[in-house]
Amino acid sequence: MTAARGLVIGVLSAGVTLGVAHLVAALVDPAADPVLAVGSVAVDLAPQPVKAFAIRTFGTNDKIALLVGVYTLLALSAVLLGAATLRRRRYGLAGLAAFAAVGVAAALSRPTATLVDVLPVLAGAGIGTAAMLVVARAAGTVPVPGSDRPRLLNRRQFLATAAGAAVTAGATATIGQAVGRRSAAGARSRAAVRIPPPARPAPPLPGGVAVGVDGVSAFLTPNRDFYRVDTALTVPQVDVETWRLTLAGAVERPRTWTFDDLLARDLVERDITLNCVSNEVGGPYIGTARWTGVPLAPLLREAGIRAGQNQLVSRSVEGMTIGTPLEAILDGRDALLAVAMNGEPLPLEHGFPVRMLVPGLYGYVGACKWLTSMRVTTFDGFDPYWVQRGWAAEAPVKTASRIDTPKPFAQRRVGPVMIAGVAWAQRRGITAVEVQIDDGPWRQARLADGPSPDLWRQWTYRWDATSGSHTVRVRATDATGATQTDERAAPFPDGATGWHSTTVTIT
Ligand SMILES: Nc1nc2c(c(=O)[nH]1)N[C@H]1C(S)=C(S)[C@@H](COP(=O)(O)O)O[C@H]1N2
Ligand SMILES: [Mo]
């Protein structure tokens, strides 16, 4: 009886608090929803091994896993708080105040926070407190003579207030959800955007870039299949009408561009492979797209970079900072401010309206999404987000290769088996891929066409498979003549190394 009343009080007052907060957040700033704000702080504060574990275990679902965790903790605390409230009102009040304080701190700690971001928590906590007091008052009991189980003073009143609180929680959360969808400024803005045809289209891809073997990744990754890695719990919603890009710091002529200013420049189109430093050996966080964008180097040169600078710090609308060596941008490679991906405006998840792209660098040092400002500085002068967390300040892509087929533990028949996959060494290019079966000699794989060093390269190896369980290994060599090391390294702090292998059963 007591436990049940405590549960009802706790869960309903928490529900009203979060529902109201969600609705107010939808109106002022969706990212100020306290659950998301606390989740974001958890993302930012999580120690490196925890982050690595989350990316490894949950992959692109890491955000969902995090939110499930936050909600579970909240539900447990709510039940305890409800029980405490029955004992003494002030325990409940103190508990809610403590949660509100955490929510306010989280909302304000976001890099782009303003004072209105405390409104959702305050409104939620205020109305949630009222709900708690009303339901707790209606939960009063009287002793039953001859029994140690008291009964509700007014059962109907208790049920009515509880139902009222439940409806409030459900309605505010639902309306908040609907408002949030309707105010999806980014989606609306993206639908209205027209990207002009590139002045310099991508050179046509030779037919031979794809080996045409089942199970090998598509040479150009469709947008919906392109991996997504970022710290944003809600996808930033940018309206190009109000969006601006600034260039400041150690430059002679700081600049500001609108989206149309950028589109008015000559656009280039390039096929470029992008991968994540968090990718494990054999992992999925790599893809290739046809990007359209504004060449970045001329923008910097026009602004006049002052002497002695070596880092460009990009900042996104939600406060991510990414540091790129100026030298990498200026050395003639296709460093872009990308506005389109595979022929459509950048998908919201991939940085709409503008992201940076620097071939040869892992995403965390060259591919800022939802870009809004760039600052010329030095590596000594500023540590961007991931560098503050111990990752390397400079991180060129390491030469690597992956077996796409057969999949691990596949079963095949004795006879010819096609082994195939991809290899990459952006900026250098792949010149050889070798395959080893068990402890046999390394054999040359057949390479598909490799039209640019900034692209991954497919390969195949036709194996005359004999019965038994076999280990297949792959290693690549890049155009500097360096062969991929077999020394295993974890992704932290500057990218994984080691040979990818897979086990196949032949019958
Ligand atoms: N604003 C922002 N940009 C970001 C990130 C981020 O967390 N926030 N993650 C970076 C990382 S680690 C990678 S690997 C690439 C991934 O880009 P994608 O999600 O389009 O594949 O984006 C980079 N740009
Ligand atoms: Mo990454």
Side-chain angles (χ1 to χ4, degrees):
M1 179 71 182
T2 308
R5 285 183 302 150
L7 187 138
V8 168
I9 296 169
V11 168
L12 289 182
S13 44
V16 170
T17 304
L18 297 181
V20 170
H22 186 62
L23 174 56
V24 176
L27 296 169
V28 300
D29 175 3
D33 179 288
V35 175
L36 293 178
V38 169
S40 296
V41 171
V43 170
D44 291 351
L45 294 183
Q48 181 45 43
V50 174
K51 274 192 177 131
F53 168 83
I55 292 189
R56 221 174 26 246
T57 315
F58 304 113
T60 304
N61 290 324
D62 57 348
K63 297 175 180 59
I64 296 170
L66 172 75
L67 292 179
V68 167
V70 172
Y71 276 113
T72 307
L73 268 182
L74 274 172
L76 291 177
S77 328
V79 170
L80 293 179
L81 259 186
T85 307
L86 275 181
R87 211 139 289 154
R88 277 191 202 289
R89 294 293 187 272
R90 67 177 124 87
Y91 293 164
L93 293 176
L96 243 168
F99 274 94
V102 171
V104 166
L108 286 181
S109 77
R110 295 186 314 114
T112 55
T114 58
L115 259 189
V116 297
D117 289 341
V118 304
L119 282 180
V121 189
L122 294 186
I127 299 178
T129 305
M132 184 176 80
L133 294 175
V134 170
V135 181
R137 176 140 41 92
T141 52
V142 285
V144 176
S147 159
D148 51 3
R149 294 176 58 103
R151 71 172 174 79
L152 281 169
L153 198 53
N154 186 336
R155 194 182 145 78
R156 190 182 292 168
Q157 192 188 359
F158 177 64
L159 291 179
T161 50
V167 168
T168 309
T172 48
T174 310
I175 299 171
Q177 209 54 15
V179 171
R181 250 197 307 277
R182 221 166 35 85
S183 71
R188 254 185 293 120
S189 183
R190 179 173 183 271
V193 156
R194 295 287 169 271
I195 308 290
R200 284 181 280 153
L205 280 174
V209 292
V211 292
V213 173
D214 263 6
V216 176
S217 326
F219 187 80
L220 288 177
T221 316
N223 289 351
R224 64 172 182 287
D225 298 337
F226 209 98
Y227 80 94
R228 174 184 170 200
V229 170
D230 56 60
T231 60
L233 289 181
T234 48
V235 177
Q237 299 281 331
V238 178
D239 181 348
V240 293
E241 295 303 321
T242 51
W243 176 86
R244 296 289 181 274
L245 175 63
T246 60
L247 171 59
V251 290
E252 302 296 340
R253 293 168 292 278
R255 287 286 311 268
T256 300
W257 296 274
T258 64
F259 191 62
D260 285 340
D261 291 339
L262 293 181
L263 294 189
R265 298 181 67 102
D266 278 354
L267 301 180
V268 307
E269 187 184 55
R270 291 287 178 267
D271 298 327
I272 296 168
T273 297
L274 173 66
N275 53 332
C276 181
V277 69
S278 306
N279 206 21
E280 304 273 348
V281 170
Y285 302 138
I286 178 164
T288 298
R290 175 158 295 183
W291 309 90
T292 310
V294 181
L296 178 53
L299 295 179
L300 299 186
R301 292 215 171 87
E302 287 165 24
I305 300 168
R306 297 224 175 94
Q309 310 304 310
N310 55 13
Q311 181 177 223
L312 181 71
V313 174
S314 326
R315 187 178 291 268
S316 67
V317 297
E318 88 292 5
M320 171 55 66
T321 50
I322 283 183
T324 308
L326 276 173
E327 197 197 337
I329 296 168
L330 298 172
D331 71 0
R333 72 185 79 182
D334 290 315
L336 299 180
L337 298 183
V339 294
M341 180 176 185
N342 292 323
E344 39 176 289
L346 282 183
L348 300 189
E349 294 80 8
H350 296 290
F352 178 83
V354 176
R355 78 173 306 166
M356 195 176 288
L357 211 60
V358 182
L361 304 183
Y362 289 116
Y364 85 105
V365 286
C368 189
K369 305 194 275 189
W370 312 293
L371 180 68
T372 187
S373 78
M374 302 183 287
R375 229 187 142 68
V376 172
T377 177
T378 59
F379 278 100
D380 288 340
F382 185 79
D383 282 344
Y385 183 94
W386 291 108
V387 177
Q388 288 168 24
R389 286 158 179 79
W391 292 80
E394 298 200 45
V397 169
K398 296 177 180 178
T399 301
S401 50
R402 183 178 77 190
I403 302 165
D404 283 353
T405 183
K407 296 283 173 236
F409 308 111
Q411 307 213 357
R412 296 296 166 90
R413 291 267 165 236
V414 170
V417 168
M418 264 304 185
I419 305 171
V422 287
W424 58 91
Q426 291 96 305
R427 279 287 78 202
R428 302 177 297 282
I430 292 291
T431 51
V433 169
E434 297 161 283
V435 171
Q436 183 190 41
I437 311 293
D438 301 321
D439 294 320
W442 285 96
R443 306 272 191 201
Q444 292 294 329
R446 194 183 70 78
L447 287 179
D449 284 343
S452 148
D454 296 334
L455 284 167
W456 59 6
R457 195 159 183 184
Q458 299 191 355
W459 56 268
T460 58
Y461 178 77
R462 190 174 165 286
W463 170 39
D464 280 316
T466 55
S467 85
S469 171
H470 299 283
T471 301
V472 179
R473 276 185 206 86
V474 66
R475 68 181 186 192
T477 299
D478 66 30
T480 69
T483 297
Q484 210 186 313
T485 172
D486 67 335
E487 219 171 285
R488 276 269 169 179
F492 185 80
D494 62 0
T497 60
W499 295 334
H500 187 211
S501 68
T502 188
T503 304
V504 188
T505 306
I506 306 295
T507 55

